[in-house]
Amino acid sequence: MKKILLLLLFTSCANVKQIDRGRLSSKIMKLDPKPEEQVFLEEVNSYREGSAGGSGSVGGGCGCN
């Protein structure tokens, strides 16, 4: 079992050619291919729970308090 796992781990790493990167960055290849569905589910959850936020991360700014 461990040998199969190691084999899959080492064969899954590959260099991607520049021409293939466009296909790999398509919407279907993303972790969440339907982000609008996730936004809707978060809205429904915030309505049920009576609170909003805390489900995503924010970025940007200088980090000053």
Side-chain angles (χ1 to χ4, degrees), residues 1-13:
M1 183 69 179
K2 290 182 182 181
K3 291 180 182 180
I4 294 172
L5 183 62
L6 286 174
L7 181 66
L8 287 174
L9 179 69
F10 288 124
T11 59
S12 63
C13 299

Side-chain angles (χ1 to χ4, degrees), residues 38-54:
Q38 185 63 32
V39 169
F40 174 72
L41 292 175
E42 287 178 9
E43 185 177 332
V44 169
N45 191 31
S46 68
Y47 177 74
R48 275 195 219 150
E49 297 292 328
S51 63

Side-chain angles (χ1 to χ4, degrees), residues 3-64:
K3 291 180 182 180
I4 294 172
L5 183 62
L6 286 174
L7 181 66
L8 287 174
L9 179 69
F10 288 124
T11 59
S12 63
C13 299
N15 291 330
V16 179
K17 294 179 184 176
Q18 185 72 26
I19 197 165
D20 295 331
R21 290 183 184 175
R23 189 175 349 144
L24 290 175
S25 67
S26 68
K27 193 174 188 178
I28 195 70
M29 296 296 283
K30 292 186 180 175
L31 205 53
D32 188 11
K34 298 179 182 177
E36 61 275 353
E37 184 177 320
Q38 185 63 32
V39 169
F40 174 72
L41 292 175
E42 287 178 9
E43 185 177 332
V44 169
N45 191 31
S46 68
Y47 177 74
R48 275 195 219 150
E49 297 292 328
S51 63
S55 60
S57 62
V58 296
C62 66
C64 305

